Amino acid sequence: MRLLEAIRSAFSAILANALRSLLTMLGIVIGVAAVITMVAIGSGARNLVDWQIRSLGANLAIVTPGNVTQGGARLGAGAASTLTDEDAQAIRREVDGVVAAAPFVQGAAQVVAGGSNWGTRIYGIDLDWFEAREWEVADGRSFDPEELRRGDIVIILGQTVARNLFGEEDPLDKTVRVRNVPFRVIGVMAPKGQSAFGQDQDDVIFVPLDAGRRRVIGRNYAKDGSVGSIFVKFANEQDIEPGIESITHLLRQRHRVVGEQEDDFAIRNLTEIANTASASANTLSILLAAVAAVSLLVGGIGIMNIMLVSVTERTREIGLRLAVGARPRDILSQFLIEATTLSTIGGGLGVALGAGAAYLVAQMAGWPSLVSTNAIVIAVGFSALVGIFFGFYPASRAAKLDPIEALRRE
């Protein structure tokens, strides 16, 4: 009953000075709103970066040509292709944990269909590509093994290419020309979206690896079965690091790289890149929230200030309560509840304002936001703690008043 009476008294005091209470809560409202907004935007950015990088495929590494030296001149990484189909087959066959090793070549080409044309990226691939990239054919079908073996002139379109060449028309079994080579459309890929580097992943076409090398991208690849790069997909994230070591040892052996000679290939762990980017975004989110949390401390100081004023204004009331039997701890709890109520209501209003601000920023700037339950609970809980912490001194000061001296004050 004493607690209920203290709560009732606290609400009465707040409502008696509604405007002052609202202005007192403003610091807490702004602080919590800032925290919620910053955490929401930071979490959304982290999720976006993570999704964009992982859209390349999970548990993925990529093997690319390394530095090439000719006649004593270092030509730099990628100056010449040092990888082959056989390298990909050896990786798939001999390295533990590998579920797909997808060699590919890539280039740029103008695609023509009837009176429409579109400039896009072209990839020559094999069947492992779709498993490595976790990408499915939405309409039609994928390449069959015989088409890949023969290097048939068939093609699969990305969503962007299909839309720009055919509009709403069904592109299946239509003919498109790539560098004057007629390809028959056998499929359209599922939408993939934008990559972490801002590139439209659906603006692409796929042809069999051998057809791409011989007919479209360049005969230099076809001379010795060379490929531009190899995507390697592992069964689990734990397999990636030992797998990369095994691939390094295998390729050095196959390419006859001995002793201190520099590798003529490079391997990048895309999962590690994704984790690093996600950790960076998470750190940024924490820093933004920490800066915004300073507003909560400012709001807490405002609550302490107004509670000290309240104690001074209500000195006679406190003296009267003490004189008729109220204990110091009753006075303490009354003012603590009043301060905590102010800060908690401010926290609730701040959550609503912060969620609205995060949504508004997401709509206006095209920046994703994610308001998490944990952020809301922590923000409201912290605002209540701010009320208790900054309200304790004024409350203890009120509880220590001498009733006789308090009643004498005007």
Side-chain angles (χ1 to χ4, degrees):
M1 292 299 294
R2 287 180 180 274
L3 179 61
L4 291 175
E5 176 63 24
I7 293 173
R8 188 195 63 79
S9 177
F11 272 101
S12 297
I14 291 171
L15 293 174
N17 299 280
L19 181 59
R20 187 171 73 180
S21 299
L22 181 62
L23 293 174
T24 302
M25 287 188 291
L26 198 57
I28 296 293
V29 171
I30 293 173
V32 170
V35 170
I36 293 292
T37 304
M38 295 303 175
V39 170
I41 293 174
S43 298
R46 183 178 66 250
N47 286 357
L48 177 64
V49 169
D50 188 56
W51 176 81
Q52 287 178 336
I53 292 179
R54 294 187 188 279
S55 68
L56 293 172
N59 305 327
L60 204 61
I62 183 170
V63 186
T64 57
N67 179 60
V68 177
T69 302
Q70 289 183 356
R74 291 166 57 88
L75 303 181
S81 179
T82 59
L83 303 172
T84 66
D85 294 346
E86 287 75 16
D87 289 333
Q89 293 168 10
I91 291 170
R92 189 185 303 117
R93 185 176 59 248
E94 299 182 28
V95 177
D96 292 336
V98 171
V99 295
F104 65 94
V105 293
Q106 61 179 315
Q110 199 74 15
V111 189
V112 180
S116 303
N117 69 91
W118 185 255
T120 187
R121 291 170 291 121
I122 180 170
Y123 284 82
I125 62 171
D126 71 1
L127 282 179
D128 271 7
W129 170 277
F130 301 111
E131 184 175 2
R133 292 291 310 276
E134 298 180 2
W135 203 348
E136 297 179 352
V137 176
D139 299 310
R141 63 176 178 83
S142 180
F143 304 119
D144 66 40
E146 282 301 306
E147 288 171 338
L148 291 169
R149 185 183 65 81
R150 295 190 302 260
D152 286 358
I153 47 176
V154 290
I155 194 167
I156 299 175
L157 307 180
Q159 289 276 341
T160 300
V161 178
R163 184 172 59 252
N164 282 280
L165 290 180
F166 296 98
E168 298 300 320
E169 186 181 354
D170 185 2
L172 295 181
D173 291 323
K174 299 290 194 305
T175 298
V176 299
R177 303 185 71 85
V178 184
R179 294 186 179 172
N180 291 322
V181 179
F183 283 83
R184 180 169 59 89
V185 178
I186 63 169
V188 177
M189 299 300 297
K192 193 74 166 175
Q194 184 174 289
S195 73
F197 312 106
Q199 193 173 48
D200 181 6
Q201 297 184 88
D202 298 315
D203 189 4
V204 65
I205 55 178
F206 299 104
V207 299
L209 178 58
D210 202 40
R213 285 189 294 212
R214 289 187 295 107
R215 296 176 177 269
V216 181
I217 295 174
R219 294 184 181 275
N220 58 318
Y221 281 117
K223 291 178 183 177
D224 53 2
S226 297
V227 297
S229 301
I230 303 171
F231 274 128
V232 182
K233 181 178 177 62
F234 294 88
N236 302 294
E237 189 171 341
Q238 294 76 15
D239 295 328
I240 298 177
E241 288 300 328
I244 288 176
E245 291 182 11
S246 298
I247 292 171
T248 301
H249 178 74
L250 175 65
L251 292 183
R252 283 180 64 87
Q253 189 178 53
R254 287 182 55 82
H255 296 184
R256 295 181 174 85
V257 179
V258 295
E260 298 298 320
Q261 281 185 277
E262 185 179 4
D263 293 341
D264 62 352
F265 59 89
I267 306 176
R268 285 182 292 168
N269 182 350
L270 298 185
T271 300
E272 189 176 78
I273 294 172
N275 292 338
T276 301
S278 181
S280 299
N282 190 47
T283 301
L284 178 62
S285 177
I286 292 172
L287 288 174
L288 290 173
V291 171
V294 174
S295 302
L296 282 174
L297 298 179
V298 174
I301 293 171
I303 286 177
M304 176 185 283
N305 179 53
I306 208 67
M307 292 305 297
L308 286 171
V309 171
S310 181
V311 168
T312 302
E313 289 178 345
R314 295 157 63 187
T315 300
R316 287 179 61 82
E317 175 194 332
I318 295 167
L320 185 59
R321 284 176 179 270
L322 291 170
V324 297
R327 293 169 297 181
R329 68 182 183 189
D330 296 327
I331 303 299
L332 179 69
S333 63
Q334 176 189 343
F335 279 89
L336 265 182
I337 290 171
E338 191 172 325
T340 305
T341 302
L342 277 172
S343 60
T344 304
I345 293 174
L349 293 174
V351 166
L353 182 62
Y359 176 79
L360 191 62
V361 169
Q363 293 300 310
M364 292 178 62
W367 192 261
S369 65
L370 178 64
V371 180
S372 67
T373 305
N374 287 342
I376 292 174
V377 171
I378 291 172
V380 173
F382 190 70
S383 66
L385 289 176
V386 165
I388 294 171
F389 180 80
F390 285 98
F392 184 79
Y393 174 69
S396 64
R397 183 173 174 177
K400 291 176 182 178
L401 284 175
D402 181 82
I404 297 175
E405 290 296 325
L407 287 170
R408 282 178 179 172
R409 291 193 188 179
E410 294 295 333

